[in-house]
PDB file of all heavy atoms in Angstrom:
ATOM      1  N   ALA A 472      89.753 125.426  41.266  1.00 84.00           N
ATOM      2  CA  ALA A 472      90.416 124.097  40.943  1.00 84.00           C
ATOM      3  C   ALA A 472      91.483 123.796  41.973  1.00 84.00           C
ATOM      4  O   ALA A 472      91.591 122.563  42.511  1.00 84.00           O
ATOM      5  CB  ALA A 472      90.985 124.183  39.588  1.00 84.00           C
ATOM      6  N   LEU A 473      92.378 124.803  42.325  1.00 82.00           N
ATOM      7  CA  LEU A 473      93.433 124.516  43.258  1.00 82.00           C
ATOM      8  C   LEU A 473      92.834 124.165  44.674  1.00 82.00           C
ATOM      9  O   LEU A 473      93.305 123.324  45.427  1.00 82.00           O
ATOM     10  CB  LEU A 473      94.285 125.793  43.465  1.00 82.00           C
ATOM     11  CG  LEU A 473      95.218 126.020  42.143  1.00 82.00           C
ATOM     12  CD1 LEU A 473      95.930 127.393  42.312  1.00 82.00           C
ATOM     13  CD2 LEU A 473      96.167 124.995  41.926  1.00 82.00           C
ATOM     14  N   LEU A 474      91.838 124.887  45.061  1.00 81.00           N
ATOM     15  CA  LEU A 474      91.237 124.628  46.396  1.00 81.00           C
ATOM     16  C   LEU A 474      90.657 123.296  46.462  1.00 81.00           C
ATOM     17  O   LEU A 474      90.678 122.503  47.452  1.00 81.00           O
ATOM     18  CB  LEU A 474      90.283 125.870  46.767  1.00 81.00           C
ATOM     19  CG  LEU A 474      90.799 127.145  47.052  1.00 81.00           C
ATOM     20  CD1 LEU A 474      89.775 128.159  47.372  1.00 81.00           C
ATOM     21  CD2 LEU A 474      91.788 127.078  48.251  1.00 81.00           C
ATOM     22  N   ASN A 475      89.907 122.924  45.396  1.00 84.00           N
ATOM     23  CA  ASN A 475      89.210 121.638  45.323  1.00 84.00           C
ATOM     24  C   ASN A 475      90.229 120.625  45.241  1.00 84.00           C
ATOM     25  O   ASN A 475      90.068 119.498  45.865  1.00 84.00           O
ATOM     26  CB  ASN A 475      88.384 121.535  44.046  1.00 84.00           C
ATOM     27  CG  ASN A 475      87.148 122.439  44.135  1.00 84.00           C
ATOM     28  OD1 ASN A 475      86.618 122.719  45.278  1.00 84.00           O
ATOM     29  ND2 ASN A 475      86.596 122.825  42.977  1.00 84.00           N
ATOM     30  N   SER A 476      91.382 120.800  44.515  1.00 82.00           N
ATOM     31  CA  SER A 476      92.466 119.670  44.492  1.00 82.00           C
ATOM     32  C   SER A 476      93.141 119.546  45.908  1.00 82.00           C
ATOM     33  O   SER A 476      93.303 118.397  46.357  1.00 82.00           O
ATOM     34  CB  SER A 476      93.580 120.221  43.599  1.00 82.00           C
ATOM     35  OG  SER A 476      94.629 119.242  43.574  1.00 82.00           O
ATOM     36  N   GLN A 477      93.263 120.673  46.611  1.00 78.00           N
ATOM     37  CA  GLN A 477      93.813 120.478  47.968  1.00 78.00           C
ATOM     38  C   GLN A 477      92.921 119.807  48.926  1.00 78.00           C
ATOM     39  O   GLN A 477      93.198 119.083  49.740  1.00 78.00           O
ATOM     40  CB  GLN A 477      94.217 121.932  48.487  1.00 78.00           C
ATOM     41  CG  GLN A 477      95.075 121.875  49.826  1.00 78.00           C
ATOM     42  CD  GLN A 477      95.636 123.103  50.273  1.00 78.00           C
ATOM     43  OE1 GLN A 477      95.222 124.193  49.700  1.00 78.00           O
ATOM     44  NE2 GLN A 477      96.502 123.115  51.161  1.00 78.00           N
ATOM     45  N   ILE A 478      91.625 120.271  48.772  1.00 82.00           N
ATOM     46  CA  ILE A 478      90.586 119.606  49.605  1.00 82.00           C
ATOM     47  C   ILE A 478      90.493 118.081  49.406  1.00 82.00           C
ATOM     48  O   ILE A 478      90.387 117.380  50.337  1.00 82.00           O
ATOM     49  CB  ILE A 478      89.263 120.258  49.419  1.00 82.00           C
ATOM     50  CG1 ILE A 478      89.240 121.739  49.884  1.00 82.00           C
ATOM     51  CG2 ILE A 478      88.120 119.497  50.099  1.00 82.00           C
ATOM     52  CD1 ILE A 478      87.977 122.584  49.703  1.00 82.00           C
ATOM     53  N   SER A 479      90.541 117.818  47.987  1.00 82.00           N
ATOM     54  CA  SER A 479      90.539 116.295  47.690  1.00 82.00           C
ATOM     55  C   SER A 479      91.775 115.671  48.296  1.00 82.00           C
ATOM     56  O   SER A 479      91.604 114.524  48.810  1.00 82.00           O
ATOM     57  CB  SER A 479      90.506 116.212  46.184  1.00 82.00           C
ATOM     58  OG  SER A 479      90.597 114.808  45.889  1.00 82.00           O
ATOM     59  N   ARG A 480      93.019 116.278  48.265  1.00 80.00           N
ATOM     60  CA  ARG A 480      94.154 115.572  48.757  1.00 80.00           C
ATOM     61  C   ARG A 480      94.099 115.467  50.305  1.00 80.00           C
ATOM     62  O   ARG A 480      94.430 114.411  50.791  1.00 80.00           O
ATOM     63  CB  ARG A 480      95.370 116.425  48.403  1.00 80.00           C
ATOM     64  CG  ARG A 480      96.681 115.845  48.938  1.00 80.00           C
ATOM     65  CD  ARG A 480      96.897 114.398  48.578  1.00 80.00           C
ATOM     66  NE  ARG A 480      98.054 113.854  49.097  1.00 80.00           N
ATOM     67  CZ  ARG A 480      98.263 112.567  49.164  1.00 80.00           C
ATOM     68  NH1 ARG A 480      97.426 111.693  48.761  1.00 80.00           N
ATOM     69  NH2 ARG A 480      99.405 112.095  49.723  1.00 80.00           N
ATOM     70  N   GLU A 481      93.554 116.422  50.827  1.00 79.00           N
ATOM     71  CA  GLU A 481      93.474 116.391  52.362  1.00 79.00           C
ATOM     72  C   GLU A 481      92.428 115.418  52.667  1.00 79.00           C
ATOM     73  O   GLU A 481      92.646 114.700  53.716  1.00 79.00           O
ATOM     74  CB  GLU A 481      93.038 117.893  52.896  1.00 79.00           C
ATOM     75  CG  GLU A 481      94.147 118.847  52.768  1.00 79.00           C
ATOM     76  CD  GLU A 481      93.665 120.224  53.305  1.00 79.00           C
ATOM     77  OE1 GLU A 481      92.434 120.375  53.557  1.00 79.00           O
ATOM     78  OE2 GLU A 481      94.500 121.186  53.504  1.00 79.00           O
ATOM     79  N   SER A 482      91.345 115.211  51.904  1.00 82.00           N
ATOM     80  CA  SER A 482      90.435 114.219  52.233  1.00 82.00           C
ATOM     81  C   SER A 482      90.934 112.871  52.097  1.00 82.00           C
ATOM     82  O   SER A 482      90.774 112.004  52.873  1.00 82.00           O
ATOM     83  CB  SER A 482      89.166 114.417  51.356  1.00 82.00           C
ATOM     84  OG  SER A 482      88.264 113.368  51.542  1.00 82.00           O
ATOM     85  N   SER A 483      91.847 112.772  51.072  1.00 81.00           N
ATOM     86  CA  SER A 483      92.598 111.268  50.733  1.00 81.00           C
ATOM     87  C   SER A 483      93.499 111.070  51.880  1.00 81.00           C
ATOM     88  O   SER A 483      93.542 110.021  52.423  1.00 81.00           O
ATOM     89  CB  SER A 483      93.220 111.537  49.386  1.00 81.00           C
ATOM     90  OG  SER A 483      93.996 110.256  49.270  1.00 81.00           O
ATOM     91  N   GLN A 484      94.191 112.189  52.337  1.00 79.00           N
ATOM     92  CA  GLN A 484      95.126 112.018  53.453  1.00 79.00           C
ATOM     93  C   GLN A 484      94.386 111.652  54.743  1.00 79.00           C
ATOM     94  O   GLN A 484      94.758 110.757  55.579  1.00 79.00           O
ATOM     95  CB  GLN A 484      96.006 113.154  53.664  1.00 79.00           C
ATOM     96  CG  GLN A 484      97.127 113.313  52.691  1.00 79.00           C
ATOM     97  CD  GLN A 484      98.022 114.533  53.119  1.00 79.00           C
ATOM     98  OE1 GLN A 484      97.571 115.399  53.812  1.00 79.00           O
ATOM     99  NE2 GLN A 484      99.230 114.504  52.704  1.00 79.00           N
ATOM    100  N   LEU A 485      93.273 112.283  54.923  1.00 84.00           N
ATOM    101  CA  LEU A 485      92.472 112.066  56.103  1.00 84.00           C
ATOM    102  C   LEU A 485      91.969 110.604  56.129  1.00 84.00           C
ATOM    103  O   LEU A 485      91.972 109.916  57.135  1.00 84.00           O
ATOM    104  CB  LEU A 485      91.250 113.043  56.230  1.00 84.00           C
ATOM    105  CG  LEU A 485      90.472 112.908  57.472  1.00 84.00           C
ATOM    106  CD1 LEU A 485      91.270 113.200  58.785  1.00 84.00           C
ATOM    107  CD2 LEU A 485      89.306 113.970  57.468  1.00 84.00           C
ATOM    108  N   LYS A 486      91.462 110.200  54.852  1.00 84.00           N
ATOM    109  CA  LYS A 486      91.021 108.812  54.810  1.00 84.00           C
ATOM    110  C   LYS A 486      92.243 107.729  55.153  1.00 84.00           C
ATOM    111  O   LYS A 486      91.989 106.848  55.779  1.00 84.00           O
ATOM    112  CB  LYS A 486      90.516 108.590  53.404  1.00 84.00           C
ATOM    113  CG  LYS A 486      89.093 109.233  53.167  1.00 84.00           C
ATOM    114  CD  LYS A 486      88.635 108.901  51.773  1.00 84.00           C
ATOM    115  CE  LYS A 486      87.342 109.641  51.495  1.00 84.00           C
ATOM    116  NZ  LYS A 486      86.796 109.363  50.183  1.00 84.00           N
ATOM    117  N   ALA A 487      93.348 108.145  54.652  1.00 80.00           N
ATOM    118  CA  ALA A 487      94.554 107.227  54.798  1.00 80.00           C
ATOM    119  C   ALA A 487      94.867 107.214  56.329  1.00 80.00           C
ATOM    120  O   ALA A 487      95.136 106.229  56.877  1.00 80.00           O
ATOM    121  CB  ALA A 487      95.723 107.647  53.934  1.00 80.00           C
ATOM    122  N   GLN A 488      94.834 108.397  56.935  1.00 79.00           N
ATOM    123  CA  GLN A 488      95.195 108.492  58.333  1.00 79.00           C
ATOM    124  C   GLN A 488      94.056 107.710  59.181  1.00 79.00           C
ATOM    125  O   GLN A 488      94.469 107.076  60.157  1.00 79.00           O
ATOM    126  CB  GLN A 488      95.206 109.929  58.824  1.00 79.00           C
ATOM    127  CG  GLN A 488      96.379 110.547  58.207  1.00 79.00           C
ATOM    128  CD  GLN A 488      96.507 112.158  58.641  1.00 79.00           C
ATOM    129  OE1 GLN A 488      95.432 112.621  59.319  1.00 79.00           O
ATOM    130  NE2 GLN A 488      97.405 112.835  58.203  1.00 79.00           N
ATOM    131  N   LEU A 489      92.809 107.834  58.755  1.00 85.00           N
ATOM    132  CA  LEU A 489      91.739 107.229  59.368  1.00 85.00           C
ATOM    133  C   LEU A 489      92.033 105.644  59.279  1.00 85.00           C
ATOM    134  O   LEU A 489      91.735 104.847  60.171  1.00 85.00           O
ATOM    135  CB  LEU A 489      90.417 107.568  58.892  1.00 85.00           C
ATOM    136  CG  LEU A 489      89.178 106.969  59.484  1.00 85.00           C
ATOM    137  CD1 LEU A 489      89.136 107.217  60.952  1.00 85.00           C
ATOM    138  CD2 LEU A 489      87.920 107.413  58.822  1.00 85.00           C
TER     139      LEU A 489
END
Side-chain angles (χ1 to χ4, degrees):
L473 289 175
L474 290 179
N475 291 334
S476 175
Q477 187 169 15
I478 290 172
S479 175
R480 179 56 185 161
E481 288 177 353
S482 176
S483 176
Q484 281 188 337
L485 184 60
K486 289 180 180 179
Q488 291 176 357
L489 182 60

